[in-house]
Amino acid sequence: MLTTLAVLMSLSGVAPAAQAAANEVDVTLVLAVDTSRSMDFEEISIQREGYVEALKHKEFIAAVQSGLTGRIAISYFEWAGYVVQDSMIDWQVIETEADAIAFADKLGARPIATQRRTSISTAIDQGASMIVTSPFQGRREVIDISGDGPNNSGDPVTPARDKAVARGMVINGLAIMLRPSDAPGGLDKYYADCVIGGPGAFVLPVHKIEDFAIAVRRKLVLEISGLPPPAKARKIAGLPTTDCLIGEKQWRDIFER
């Protein structure tokens, strides 16, 4: 009788409950990682190690398993002035420690390279597209952007952000501030005003390369658990709005000198 019912449901296009549940996750999370040439090879290497370490950490795995479904779907790509096509790691469900280690090992095996320019808008568009076409249904949809400079290539960043947020996605930022920023007021403020968006969105600054792994882990745990970020990571209201085209203007000025 059950077999007949399953066949009828299949023929009618209605998925069995178990199949529907298999597509449900607490979070669909895209890791979009900046590999622009403003960071040197050592910094890119430490950044990579930070992600690998964070994904294998027991705190990250505990956050995954504490959700309603106890699993997330995660994907990864690198970007600079464009999306690095061969950097993409397709969606994988993380439910166990072994799942997390397997994904981290895929990331760790990737060759390290850098590219020109910085297009945060392209990274956001790519992340949003990956979430829309994902085979998983996330209770929350998050694009995780890490970068060390303002947008200076491709489309302006704010329309890309606003479009993703309008679709119900959350964009969080990891502002890599190892050197003085081209963004007046600091890169973390630029990210707060121009890049992040959606309910509970936050930006975490990284000032020392040795703190990168801890910052990545903290960010992933916050994103997966849905916990509020620390006060210092919140967007501060009442400050002058950042010029979200500052990167484009600075790049244009270089060629007009």
Side-chain angles (χ1 to χ4, degrees), residues 194-233:
C194 307
V195 178
I196 68 171
F202 64 92
V203 55
L204 286 178
V206 179
H207 297 283
K208 298 179 181 179
I209 196 67
E210 58 266 28
D211 295 336
F212 194 89
I214 296 173
V216 171
R217 184 172 77 244
R218 184 181 304 157
K219 186 165 182 283
L220 291 177
V221 169
L222 290 171
E223 288 168 333
I224 292 165
S225 65
L227 294 173
K232 67 179 181 180

Side-chain angles (χ1 to χ4, degrees), residues 1-10:
M1 185 69 176
L2 289 174
T3 302
T4 302
L5 177 60
V7 170
L8 290 173
M9 291 175 71
S10 176

Side-chain angles (χ1 to χ4, degrees), residues 10 12-14 21 41 51 68 70 78 125 133 158 198 215 219 257:
S10 176
S12 64
V14 178
F41 187 84
Y51 275 96
L68 289 175
E78 296 168 359
D125 286 343
T133 59
T158 51
K219 186 165 182 283
R257 290 174 183 170

